[in-house]
Amino acid sequence: MRLKDGSLHTIIREEDLLELIGIYMGEEVLSGVLRMQEEYDEEIESLQEYVKDLESQIDETEEELKETKRKLRKIQEEME
């Protein structure tokens, strides 16, 4: 719409404006959710690596325990 001074102005219906605001806010919320999801994914990956390390340590400790038990049995047999 052109006003008397020659400038152009757009008239937007209230419903259209509210819809545009809703779309913008929805995009902002979605963007925030996606950022949070990326952060959670990184945290989950980090925790999974930590769990794998712990499982590896458990396996090593179990092997050391088995070896120690073997040595102990051998010592007990020698003492008998």
Side-chain angles (χ1 to χ4, degrees):
M1 165 181 223
R2 193 171 294 275
L3 299 179
K4 290 181 183 178
D5 65 1
S7 61
L8 286 174
H9 290 273
T10 303
I11 298 175
I12 298 177
R13 294 181 312 160
E14 183 178 354
E15 303 88 44
D16 294 338
L17 181 60
L18 291 174
E19 183 178 347
L20 290 172
I21 291 170
I23 290 169
Y24 174 77
M25 290 176 66
E27 288 176 354
E28 287 297 306
V29 168
L30 180 59
S31 175
V33 168
L34 292 174
R35 274 193 307 276
M36 287 173 55
Q37 182 65 46
E38 287 176 13
E39 291 172 7
Y40 289 144
D41 288 346
E42 290 172 4
E43 185 66 24
I44 287 170
E45 186 176 316
S46 173
L47 289 172
Q48 286 173 335
E49 289 176 19
Y50 178 69
V51 167
K52 285 180 183 178
D53 288 343
L54 287 176
E55 288 172 339
S56 177
Q57 289 177 16
I58 289 170
D59 291 343
E60 290 174 14
T61 302
E62 286 176 341
E63 286 302 314
E64 290 172 3
L65 179 59
K66 287 178 184 177
E67 184 62 30
T68 302
K69 285 181 177 180
R70 278 187 224 117
K71 288 178 181 179
L72 180 59
R73 269 188 248 125
K74 186 176 180 180
I75 292 171
Q76 286 175 337
E77 288 173 1
E78 290 176 358
M79 291 180 69
E80 291 178 348

